[in-house]
Every structure is written in C-alpha cells, then in structure tokens.
Amino acid sequence: MTTTTTTVDRGSGNPRRALVALAATALVACAGVVPAHASTPQAPRTPAPSTTPTPGAPGAASGAPGGAAARKEPPAQMSKVGGERLGSAGDQVGAGAPNLPAGLSALSWVVADADTGQVLGARNAHWQLPPASTLKMLFADTVLPAVPHNGSRTVTPEDLKGMGDGSSAVGIVPGGTYQVPDLWRGVFLRSGNDAVHVLAAMNGGVEKTVADMQRRAKELGAGDTEVRSPDGYDAPGQVSSAYDLTLFLRQGLKDKDFKEYCSTASAQFPGGPAGPGKDKPFGISNTNRMLSGADGVAPYPGLIGGKNGYTTNAGNTLAEGAQRDGHTIVVTVMNPQDNKRDQVYTEMRALLDWGFAAVGKATPVGTLDQAGAGGAAAKGGTAAVSGSAAGSGSGPGALAWSVIGVGAAAAAGGSGWLLMRRRRRAQG
C-alpha cells in the first residue's frame, strides 16, 4: 500500500503532560495520544510518494506549497447549490462590494452573513478538498445532541483504537473517567482525536458516528461532503468544501454548547487515573490562535470562534465566526498556497474585515439557505437563491463525488505543536 509521510513543526510542552502521554501510549500502542501545545504549523511539507491521482481530484499537484495533495486549478464543474455563481470558478463578488483584500492565496474561501444566510463573496465555494479537523464541526453538529451532557465514560483501550498515527490529542488516558463537557473541551480546544473517539464510542462507535455524520451533512444540504473519519484524519475519498464547512459552523453557532466550546480560549483538563502526580488537572489552550492569541497571532476583535485544522493533504483549514455592529460574519478558508507562517490567520483576518465592510452593501452572490436543505438540494435537486443576488439563481444539486487519488493518507488532528520531539506527527 502506498503511504503518505506528513511533517509538521515540533515544539515543547509541559513535562507532566508528556508523562500522561507516555502512559497512554504504553496502554494503547496504536494511538499516538499526546497533549499538544497550541500553534498552527506552517512547516515545509514532505511531498507524498508518487501516485496517479484521479483527474479533478485534490491529488493532482502533489508537493504543492499548500499541502502535498493540493492542486492548482478547481474542477471544470462544481455544484451550484446555493446559487449559480457559487458553482463558478474564481472569485465571486457582487455589485457594491469593496475590493477584495490583496494577497489571498487560499484555494477556496467563503464569506457569509450568518444571520441572513447571504453569501457575500466566495472563491471556488464548492471545490471538494480535504477538510482536516474543521470536519470536527460536523462531528459536533451530529454528536452534541446525541450524547447526554451530564454523562461520563471510563475510557478503555478499545475506545482509542483506530486513531491515526500522529493524531493530535488532549491527553486522555485509558482507565480514566471523563465527563462529557471535558471531552468536548478536548475536541474544541485541543482538536483531540482521542476525545473524538471516546465520544464516538459513547455514540455507538466510529462506524455508526461516520454514518450519522454523513446523514447530518445531507440534512444540512452539504452535498460536497464525504465522511470517512469522525475526526478529520486524512482518508481516501474524505472531502468537504468551503461552502459546506460554512454551513456546519453556522449551524453549530445556533447551539449554545457548540458556541460555548468553540469560544473557549483555555480550560483545565482532568488528569489520568489516580496515582502520584497523575490525577491532577492540567491547563489546555485553544489551538485556534486567532481566539487564544498564542504565538504572535493577535486575537480578532469580536471573534466568536470556530475550528482550525491541518494535514499534509489539506494544508491549513480554518472556519471562524465574528460579531460586530449587530452582524455575525462566518468565513471559511481552505489551503492557502502562500507558505508564510500564520498565512491562514492572515487571510482569515482580511476576509472577516472584508465581510463586515461588505455586509448590507454588497449584492450577495448566493445563499446558505438552500431551498429544502436536506431535501431537494441535498438530493441533487434545484437550489433557489433568496433575495435579488445579481448573477445568482438556481442550478443542479451537488455533483458526483470526486475521488482522492492517494493511498493511505497522512495523519490528522487539530493544528498545534506536538510534544513528542522524536517523531514528526500529523494533524487534522
């Protein structure tokens, strides 16, 4: 089987948390369970071994700066769900919109008014690309209502099986008992694939959770999304789009628990099984550095929060919501091709500013409020565009899924520096 090597920056962390990680690794050989130190890596990426990508799939430009699986040009045809212009390649802005920020290098982005559902601007909105850990927003949309909030679980090694090598983790230790709110903080703050797997076990298992997520995506009208893992870990055929990820964030912000978790910058996380020095809680900070303000990324004024991610195949992905002057803007950025440090945050900041300048002035180019979301739009029917968006209209539903032409994919998890210096680890 062809494999893909993933590299990310490495950093230092709390030694006591490293001991927790080593204990977890000893009990679960298949799971790289280590707490991570907040950061969004911008390290040089190791190109994937030679593969023969499917035409039109994201694997067509292996070794590109924005991720080993990135390709430079969008497909010739994309879904027109939400409006005709959202299925067109390139930048889409309406009359009255301010000039777009200079230097936008992302393969795909969407800026929308969360209150009205109007899409204010977009680039390749329906390009199906690997989502990395931004897919955890769909996981939360699906599992938050299903798992009792006052529940708890004593973790077994079986719960952590199937985690990808190098997965980012909050530091869950088999034998420890964890409350559901702590698990969700592990998901949102540390992008912990270990927390995702424990919650998936509480939801009936990974296989059921993946099926539930796919069903939920369909209900929301997210026709570009194919779910293969609950945590965003790279997998052949797993794709989403800036349009769909924006849907997931907008939906999540309607839920008070989702909103609370995604807006939390730091928290305490419980230690592992009782024992000398092992049962004390430790601090965790959000890997979304635009929220936490870590490592030189200034917090964005009015930021609600969202979800970030990184894998070799996905590059950096980021979805954020912010409020200002009575408006809520949601933005998704996928795979900036400029490899400058923190570029995903630079482009996110510029697009949030642009969205607040455009709202109420720019003619929308589409809508998140599809006709019959979960109905006609999700089944490939016609999607109507509300309002008087110039150039927008109805069109066919989502196209057949693209197939990612890669072998076993690189490791995933949330963006962040990992403690284990001897190994280069991947994130999702």
Side-chain angles (χ1 to χ4, degrees):
M1 176 182 292
T2 301
T3 58
T4 302
T5 301
T6 304
T7 62
V8 300
D9 285 354
R10 295 168 291 166
S12 61
N14 188 315
R16 195 189 66 73
R17 287 157 61 189
L19 291 175
V20 173
L22 291 173
T25 305
L27 288 167
V28 190
C30 66
V33 182
V34 292
H37 175 66
S39 174
T40 296
Q42 298 283 340
R45 288 118 188 186
T46 301
S50 177
T51 60
T52 304
T54 302
S62 179
R71 56 183 295 266
K72 294 292 186 180
E73 299 298 329
Q77 291 184 316
M78 292 180 285
S79 167
K80 295 184 172 93
V81 166
E84 187 80 20
R85 292 188 67 178
L86 298 183
S88 300
D91 293 341
Q92 306 296 322
V93 294
N99 291 333
L100 286 172
L104 295 176
S105 68
L107 294 181
S108 177
W109 54 261
V110 164
V111 179
D113 182 339
D115 303 311
T116 65
Q118 293 176 342
V119 177
L120 304 173
R123 172 185 292 172
N124 305 323
H126 285 290
W127 190 351
Q128 292 173 293
L129 296 164
S133 275
T134 49
L135 193 65
K136 288 181 171 78
M137 295 187 298
L138 176 60
F139 174 77
D141 286 340
T142 305
V143 179
L144 262 171
V147 173
H149 209 62
N150 60 354
S152 65
R153 187 172 182 89
T154 301
V155 176
T156 68
E158 189 70 21
D159 292 343
L160 300 176
K161 269 191 172 180
M163 282 179 57
D165 182 38
S167 288
S168 62
V170 65
I172 289 172
V173 179
T177 299
Y178 298 87
Q179 304 297 314
V180 165
D182 288 322
L183 293 171
W184 281 115
R185 281 185 278 271
V187 171
F188 277 93
L189 274 69
R190 299 309 302 168
S191 203
N193 290 5
D194 49 355
V196 168
H197 277 250
V198 174
L199 286 163
M202 297 179 74
N203 186 55
V206 168
E207 185 175 350
K208 176 182 179 297
T209 299
V210 166
D212 289 347
M213 290 170 65
Q214 191 68 67
R215 188 180 309 111
R216 183 60 173 149
K218 183 176 181 180
E219 290 170 358
L220 294 174
D224 301 322
T225 299
E226 281 284 350
V227 184
R228 296 291 183 265
S229 66
D231 50 25
Y233 189 101
D234 282 337
Q238 180 158 274
V239 290
S240 190
S241 67
Y243 182 88
D244 285 8
L245 293 172
T246 306
L247 284 177
F248 302 152
L249 177 57
R250 186 192 185 208
Q251 179 64 30
L253 293 179
K254 298 175 183 178
D255 182 281
K256 68 178 184 63
D257 292 324
F258 184 111
K259 190 173 181 179
E260 177 186 345
Y261 293 133
C262 82
S263 64
T264 300
S266 62
Q268 291 289 302
F269 195 81
K278 295 182 180 179
D279 57 348
K280 294 181 181 179
F282 55 90
I284 57 174
S285 59
N286 204 310
T287 60
N288 179 359
R289 295 189 289 129
M290 187 172 277
L291 179 71
S292 65
D295 293 336
V297 175
Y300 187 84
L303 193 74
I304 303 169
K307 190 70 194 75
N308 57 321
Y310 172 81
T311 65
T312 294
N313 288 329
N316 283 285
T317 59
L318 180 63
E320 302 276 28
Q323 292 177 324
R324 184 186 301 170
D325 300 328
H327 297 288
T328 302
I329 299 297
V330 284
V331 177
T332 297
V333 174
M334 300 188 77
N335 203 340
Q337 298 295 285
D338 190 328
N339 204 33
K340 293 177 183 175
R341 178 174 170 80
D342 302 328
Q343 184 66 21
V344 71
Y345 292 111
T346 299
E347 297 191 21
M348 173 59 70
R349 188 180 302 273
L351 285 170
L352 283 168
D353 286 345
W354 182 88
F356 283 115
V359 66
K361 301 173 185 175
T363 302
V365 296
T367 182
L368 301 177
D369 290 326
Q370 310 152 26
K379 294 175 183 176
T382 299
V385 177
S386 61
S388 58
S392 63
S394 60
L399 301 172
W401 311 112
S402 298
V403 178
I404 297 179
V406 296
S415 296
W417 302 84
L418 303 182
L419 293 178
M420 300 300 290
R421 290 176 175 268
R422 295 181 181 178
R423 300 181 62 190
R424 292 189 172 185
R425 293 185 174 274
Q427 304 183 354

